[in-house]
Amino acid sequence: APIRRFVSPRSDKRFMMYSRLSSEPDQPPVSKALAEALGRFIVEWSVLEHELDLAHSIVFRINGSLAHCLFAGAGTKHKINSLSSAISLLEPSLGALSERTCSILDQVSSYSDQARNTIAHGQFAAWEVDRRRPPYFAIAWDFGRNVARRTPSWVRYPKTASYWKSKAARINTLTKRLRKALIQIDKKLSQPSDAEHRRVLGIKWRHFQPTPARSRKNQPQGKAGSQGRRPKRGKPVQIH
């Protein structure tokens, strides 16, 4: 199921209660079931992060301790991008496995943006709701994130235990699929042939052959302002 998000515009007459500061912060009414579901998601994500770290030593064919130097200071997004790039480059050796693994990584990236970051950086916020009937003011709690892009908004996420349990289960499934793919990648890359090496190193690398610039004396008359323009780049040529 897709991540559900609700964007609250300014027009819904709800304002964060920043003006009423008490001696202690307000505690949101979080049920035990919801707290356990959020905790389970964090645990499942930590296992998934370990698989991303393990993937570096397998995909890049280096010692695990050296691989640590690559991913230790990298964020989740950077890990996924570097792995996806390398696995795509290894398509001559991996075949259809390359596309399947990249698809798994794309799903992980989506959950990182819309679920993991929400739990890590989101907040339970109290709102003062303006009502037309008595009681005219009431307190409501939301779970979400503040977003400031072109216009500021509050992105609301479901705050039910069943919702976050389902996301934790989905992360568990993705982790198992990634581990299965890594085992297959490790087998395929364990003894690549020289021909496969040449195909990997020679594919997808492109260079440009610039079109020779004409001398000013031989340049054709064009539209106004075209004199002195830089020549266009030539088309990319595949290296085999």
Side-chain angles (χ1 to χ4, degrees):
I3 301 291
R4 290 187 293 162
R5 304 198 305 170
F6 310 93
V7 179
S8 299
R10 289 175 173 269
S11 59
D12 68 350
K13 296 182 179 180
R14 307 203 306 172
F15 306 95
M16 276 191 162
M17 300 173 60
Y18 287 127
S19 58
R20 300 181 180 180
L21 293 178
S22 58
S23 59
E24 294 184 1
D26 296 326
Q27 293 297 323
V30 179
S31 66
K32 181 179 179 181
L34 177 57
E36 290 179 350
L38 294 175
R40 171 51 55 185
F41 183 93
I42 293 298
V43 170
E44 295 293 350
W45 191 266
S46 69
V47 178
L48 177 59
E49 284 277 359
H50 175 71
E51 292 300 306
L52 294 177
D53 294 348
L54 178 65
H56 281 75
S57 61
I58 294 175
V59 172
F60 291 101
R61 315 308 295 170
I62 58 176
N63 175 272
S65 297
L66 290 176
H68 180 84
C69 300
L70 293 176
F71 60 72
T76 303
K77 194 73 173 179
H78 179 77
K79 294 178 184 179
I80 294 173
N81 288 341
S82 62
L83 289 171
S84 296
S85 297
I87 292 172
S88 295
L89 189 63
L90 290 168
E91 189 272 337
S93 297
L94 300 179
L97 179 60
S98 173
E99 181 63 30
R100 291 201 304 270
T101 308
C102 287
S103 176
I104 295 173
L105 293 174
D106 287 342
Q107 295 178 64
V108 173
S109 179
S110 177
Y111 276 90
S112 176
D113 291 337
Q114 301 184 21
R116 181 265 178 190
N117 288 346
T118 299
I119 294 181
H121 306 293
Q123 54 185 275
F124 284 91
W127 299 77
E128 188 176 81
V129 182
D130 186 3
R131 293 181 174 180
R132 296 182 178 179
R133 300 177 181 178
Y136 294 105
F137 295 99
I139 303 301
W141 286 89
D142 272 345
F143 179 54
R145 285 190 294 166
N146 282 305
V147 177
R149 298 294 185 267
R150 175 171 293 183
T151 57
S153 61
W154 169 256
V155 183
R156 301 164 54 203
Y157 287 82
K159 53 181 185 291
T160 60
S162 59
Y163 176 83
W164 291 105
K165 279 184 178 179
S166 67
K167 300 310 169 192
R170 181 57 182 164
I171 295 303
N172 180 274
T173 300
L174 285 175
T175 303
K176 292 178 179 178
R177 289 179 59 194
L178 181 58
R179 170 57 70 92
K180 182 178 179 180
L182 291 178
I183 292 175
Q184 295 174 332
I185 289 175
D186 188 46
K187 290 181 179 179
K188 285 182 174 291
L189 297 181
S190 58
Q191 292 180 342
S193 64
D194 291 338
E196 287 177 326
H197 271 307
R198 287 194 294 270
R199 290 171 61 194
V200 170
L201 293 175
I203 198 168
K204 296 184 181 179
W205 297 104
R206 302 185 300 175
H207 74 282
F208 287 87
Q209 291 182 344
T211 304
R214 298 181 180 181
S215 64
R216 289 185 176 273
K217 294 181 180 180
N218 298 328
Q219 283 187 352
Q221 294 296 327
K223 295 181 180 180
S226 63
Q227 296 294 335
R229 286 182 180 174
R230 298 175 63 183
K232 295 182 179 180
R233 288 186 173 216
K235 295 182 178 180
V237 179
Q238 190 81 24
I239 298 177
H240 300 286

